[in-house]
Amino acid sequence: MSETPIASATLDAPSTTPPTGSAGPAPAARPGPGAAPLLTPLGLLTVLLGAALPLIDFFIVNVALPTIDHDLHAGPAMLEMVVAGYGVSYATLLVLGGRLGDMVGRRRLFLWGLSTFGLTSLACGLAPDAWTLVAARVAQGAAAALLLPQVLATIQATTTGQRRAKAVSLYGGTAGVSSAVGQVLGGLLVSVNLAGSGWRAVFLVNVPIAVVAWLLAARTVPETRSPHPSRVDGPGTALLATTLVTLLLPLTEGRAAGWPVWSWVLLAVFPFAAVAFVVVERRAERAGRTPLVPPSLFGIPSVRSGLAMIVPFSVGFGGFMFVVAVALQSGLRYGPLAAGVALVPLCVAFFLSSLAGPRLVQRFGRKVVITGSLIQGAGLLALVLTVRAGWPDIPVAALAPSMTVLGLGQGMVLPVLLRIVLSELPVAQAGVGGGVMVTTQQSGLALGVATLGTLFLALLPSAGIRDAFLATVLAQLVIVLGTTLLGLRLPRTMR
């Protein structure tokens, strides 16, 4: 491996260099001395399974919150902490997880992440009270931060050309579909109430999946690490954690707690922490040290423009998934299962369009992202018209056309954006680059819940559920239009 950017397919033409080696049943086959190990199809399936777990768990708890409240007498503020505790610890530690994988080995961190994620999921499922559940969710988020960055870093280090393009598209499809699948699966598990487990099943289901993924990973995922590992950047880690906590914690928890003084104090600290983080990281890089988030990463056009578009996309997606779950259950009186089933067309369309992404990109370049964003906007408009015409008697089937169009557009956007961000990353920065990208995506999802969710809940008392939902969807439409304009700044090719 070298420090030079990894060769990748262009956006306008397919790579002419076929991958070496063949897909076998185990990672033992090596293409040659000194060459990077290859990720087999089963190995790719395994890391994608590992990626799906933390992404599903960010959303799976949404439909279970009413039963958690009933069983544990949690209250609104505590329920917000069940969600926020996971999201904040997850987002805060993602970049550190990527750096640790670069240092000690991505396969090793992937296995440790699966183990701790399974154990913390068990702790969530067995929690006797609300405070124990919150603590277990914080630990579960930390485990997810160890696990997820290793997926993209492993793909970067063990695939090339069209194999990488397909793998990244599959990862993008997994990332998007897992968010919706989380709510579908959560509704199913709560409705079935296996052995009287109720809400606990949404956490306990992770345990056998984590065990299977661990056994598969031990046999099929090759070990990779940075060729020049560096020490952990302590000051940068502390300042990044402070920056994210002072932004995400008050935005996700402040409303439920009645916006107490501490929430405003944290928001006031946020800009100072952010500036201090940037200054410290720049000084570290100028001094020849390796910062947690190297500022030079943002000098790469594909990274800078891709991340700039991932932020608003994730804000809109995260806010929509939260608001639609509330509107379907509280406004249309869907049960947990029906609310989940309503999102199935979105899941299927997202996944199918993400699979078509590599071929579309080869022919149309960045126009795929712009077109996908416009299709997403059309889906939101169709949903607005459906809700205005049919509320409050809208069957699940009536939502399918708009959800399908929405998922089709989103599936054309996210996987391509992920591919663009990763296209010029050096091998040595695969872990930290993947961590930065996933942190950006995760923070955007949390901001979406906080901003669009707060708008929706603030409008409820005066406007009612229907009009509050319509106003929120129209706000997301404005975000989508801004995202479309940002698409014009994406690079035309990926080197």
Side-chain angles (χ1 to χ4, degrees), residues 83-160:
V83 178
Y86 179 86
V88 171
S89 66
Y90 181 21
T92 299
L93 297 173
L94 272 167
V95 178
L96 179 61
R99 170 58 56 83
L100 291 174
D102 287 347
M103 291 172 57
V104 305
R106 291 147 189 159
R107 175 178 173 273
R108 180 179 298 179
L109 259 291
F110 186 79
L111 293 174
W112 273 102
L114 282 171
S115 301
T116 53
F117 193 84
L119 290 173
T120 52
S121 296
L122 180 63
C124 289
L126 300 179
D129 54 60
W131 278 111
T132 303
L133 178 58
V134 169
R137 282 284 282 174
V138 171
Q140 190 186 35
L146 288 180
L147 174 62
L148 193 59
Q150 316 317 323
V151 176
L152 281 170
T154 297
I155 290 172
Q156 278 289 91
T158 59
T159 59
T160 58

Side-chain angles (χ1 to χ4, degrees), residues 49 53 111 113-119 121 205-216:
L49 178 60
L53 281 173
L111 293 174
L114 282 171
S115 301
T116 53
F117 193 84
L119 290 173
S121 296
V205 70
N206 293 329
V207 178
I209 297 175
V211 170
V212 171
W214 194 98
L215 293 173
L216 287 172

Side-chain angles (χ1 to χ4, degrees), residues 325-418:
V326 176
L328 293 182
Q329 294 184 78
S330 299
L332 296 180
R333 303 298 177 188
Y334 289 180
L337 181 58
V341 169
L343 294 173
V344 169
L346 186 151
C347 296
V348 174
F350 191 114
F351 189 71
L352 292 178
S353 62
S354 69
L355 292 180
R359 284 190 287 271
L360 293 174
V361 162
Q362 291 166 20
R363 183 171 181 181
F364 300 108
R366 70 182 183 189
K367 293 178 182 178
V368 174
V369 177
I370 298 171
T371 302
S373 191
L374 292 173
I375 292 174
Q376 180 185 5
L380 291 172
L381 281 176
L383 181 60
V384 167
L385 295 176
T386 301
V387 170
R388 280 182 60 86
W391 191 277
D393 301 313
I394 304 176
V396 171
L399 295 174
S402 58
M403 289 293 182
T404 300
V405 174
L406 188 59
L408 181 67
Q410 291 171 340
M412 293 172 65
V413 173
L414 182 60
V416 178
L417 288 180
L418 300 182

Side-chain angles (χ1 to χ4, degrees), residues 237-484:
T237 301
L239 284 171
L240 178 62
T242 302
T243 300
L244 292 175
V245 167
T246 53
L247 175 65
L248 296 179
L249 185 60
L251 288 181
T252 53
E253 181 65 14
R255 182 194 59 82
W259 296 108
V261 173
W262 65 260
S263 63
W264 296 109
V265 170
L266 289 180
L267 286 173
V269 170
F270 162 70
F272 296 100
V275 170
F277 173 69
V278 172
V279 170
V280 166
E281 297 297 270
R282 283 179 175 173
R283 286 179 179 173
E285 192 165 47
R286 282 199 297 266
R289 300 190 299 272
T290 304
L292 182 71
V293 180
S296 58
L297 275 181
F298 301 95
I300 301 173
S302 60
V303 173
R304 185 173 60 251
S305 58
L307 291 180
M309 197 169 174
I310 284 175
V311 171
F313 178 88
S314 299
V315 167
F317 187 84
F320 176 81
M321 295 303 293
F322 171 78
V323 171
V324 77
V326 176
L328 293 182
Q329 294 184 78
S330 299
L332 296 180
R333 303 298 177 188
Y334 289 180
L337 181 58
V341 169
L343 294 173
V344 169
L346 186 151
C347 296
V348 174
F350 191 114
F351 189 71
L352 292 178
S353 62
S354 69
L355 292 180
R359 284 190 287 271
L360 293 174
V361 162
Q362 291 166 20
R363 183 171 181 181
F364 300 108
R366 70 182 183 189
K367 293 178 182 178
V368 174
V369 177
I370 298 171
T371 302
S373 191
L374 292 173
I375 292 174
Q376 180 185 5
L380 291 172
L381 281 176
L383 181 60
V384 167
L385 295 176
T386 301
V387 170
R388 280 182 60 86
W391 191 277
D393 301 313
I394 304 176
V396 171
L399 295 174
S402 58
M403 289 293 182
T404 300
V405 174
L406 188 59
L408 181 67
Q410 291 171 340
M412 293 172 65
V413 173
L414 182 60
V416 178
L417 288 180
L418 300 182
R419 183 180 169 192
I420 287 172
V421 172
L422 295 173
S423 62
E424 298 176 358
L425 279 178
V427 172
Q429 293 181 323
V432 67
V436 170
M437 185 177 69
V438 178
T439 297
T440 302
Q441 182 186 7
Q442 184 65 34
S443 300
L445 291 173
L447 282 172
V449 173
T451 53
L452 293 180
T454 297
L455 172 64
F456 173 73
L457 295 172
L459 291 174
L460 273 181
S462 58
I465 294 181
R466 189 199 76 158
D467 290 346
F469 178 67
L470 291 175
T472 306
V473 173
L474 290 174
Q476 187 192 352
L477 183 60
V478 173
I479 295 174
V480 168
L481 293 177
T483 307
T484 306

